[in-house]
C-alpha cells in the first residue's frame, strides 16, 4: 500500500490504521483507503485516545533540539479543528522517539528515559529507566510495556496523583531473541515481534510464555 509519503509510526485503532507521516497524519480503512486527517509538518508518531474517536495525540519536531506532543481535537462538528501543544521536551542525540496514549496518560520514550504526562492533572515526569526502549505500548491505562536490548521485555506501573508521577518496574522477561515491536491483543495477550528472526512471541499479561 502506498501511503503517499514517508511514514514514521503507525497505530491500529479499532478497524483503522493511524499513520504518522512526514507531512501529517493519515487514516487507513479497509473500504475507504487512505485519508489525510491532519496536514501538519514533521509528525513522528501518532495515536488515538482510547474511547475518543475524534481525539488524536501526536509528536512533532519543534526544532533541532526539541520535540513536542500535540493534541488534535475534532470530536464535535461544532468545534473548530485545532492542534494544541500539550508539552515539549529536549531531544537527546538522534534517538528515535515513540509515543503511546492510554485513557489517562501519555508516554514518550527517548534514549534511556520515559516521559509520562497525566492528561487529567497536566503533570509530567521524566524518569531514567536504565536502558534504551526500542518500543513501548500500554497494557492497560497505567501499565506500560517496553522492549529493550538484550532480548528483554519490561512492564512498568505508573502511579499518578495531583502532585507527582511515579514509575515502578513490575517484571522483566528475557530470552526473547531480537525483541522489538510490542502490542496487545484484544484478549490481553502480549505480542512481541523479533527483529532478527522470522518470529513473534506471545506472552501472558504476567510476561509468561
Amino acid at each position: 500500500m502506498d501511503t503517499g509519503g514517508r511514514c514514521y509510526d503507525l497505530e491500529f485503532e479499532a478497524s483503522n490504521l493511524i499513520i504518522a507521516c512526514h507531512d501529517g497524519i493519515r487514516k487507513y480503512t479497509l473500504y475507504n483507503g487512505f485519508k489525510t486527517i491532519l496536514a501538519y509538518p514533521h509528525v513522528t508518531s501518532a495515536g488515538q485516545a482510547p474511547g475518543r474517536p475524534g481525539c488524536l495525540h501526536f509528536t512533532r519536531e519543534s526544532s533541532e533540539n526539541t520535540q513536542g506532543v500535540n493534541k488534535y481535537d475534532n470530536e464535535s462538528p461544532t468545534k473548530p479543528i485545532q492542534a494544541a501543544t500539550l508539552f515539549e521536551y529536549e531531544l537527546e542525540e538522534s534517538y528515535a522517539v515513540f509515543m503511546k496514549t492510554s485513557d489517562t496518560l501519555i508516554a514518550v520514550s527517548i534514549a534511556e528515559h520515559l516521559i509520562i504526562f497525566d492528561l487529567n492533572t497536566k503533570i509530567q515526569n521524566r524518569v531514567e529507566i536504565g536502558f534504551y526502549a526500542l518500543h513501548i505500548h500500554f497494557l492497560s491505562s497505567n501499565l506500560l510495556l517496553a522492549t529493550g536490548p538484550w532480548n528483554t521485555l519490561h512492564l512498568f506501573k505508573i502511579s499518578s496523583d495531583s502532585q507527582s508521577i511515579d514509575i515502578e518496574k513490575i517484571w522483566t522477561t528475557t530470552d526473547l531473541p531480537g525483541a522489538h515491536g510490542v502490542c496487545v491483543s484484544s484478549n490481553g495477550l502480549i505480542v512481541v515481534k523479533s527483529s532478527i528472526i522470522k518470529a513473534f512471541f506471545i506472552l501472558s499479561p504476567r510476561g509468561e510464555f
Side-chain angles (χ1 to χ4, degrees), residues 140-157:
S140 64
S141 60
N142 69 331
L143 295 176
L144 183 70
L145 295 160
T147 53
W150 313 294
N151 309 321
T152 57
L153 175 68
H154 310 262
L155 180 70
F156 295 92
K157 181 179 180 180

Side-chain angles (χ1 to χ4, degrees), residues 5-27:
R6 181 179 298 173
C7 299
Y8 296 100
D9 191 23
L10 60 84
E11 181 78 10
F12 187 74
E13 298 288 351
S15 59
N16 304 317
L17 278 175
I18 305 297
I19 305 167
C21 299
H22 73 289
D23 58 355
I25 302 173
R26 293 183 176 86
K27 177 185 288 188

Side-chain angles (χ1 to χ4, degrees), residues 42-94:
H42 308 302
V43 174
T44 56
S45 63
Q48 186 167 305
R52 302 179 64 186
C55 183
L56 293 170
H57 296 102
F58 62 95
T59 57
R60 51 97 180 101
E61 296 179 4
S62 302
S63 68
E64 292 184 356
N65 299 314
T66 62
Q67 278 196 344
V69 173
N70 282 28
K71 174 184 177 183
Y72 163 77
D73 198 343
N74 192 27
E75 292 183 286
S76 171
T78 61
K79 289 182 179 180
I81 296 175
Q82 53 185 334
T85 300
L86 291 178
F87 62 95
E88 292 188 332
Y89 48 88
E90 293 184 359
L91 292 175
E92 295 187 14
E93 300 179 7
S94 58

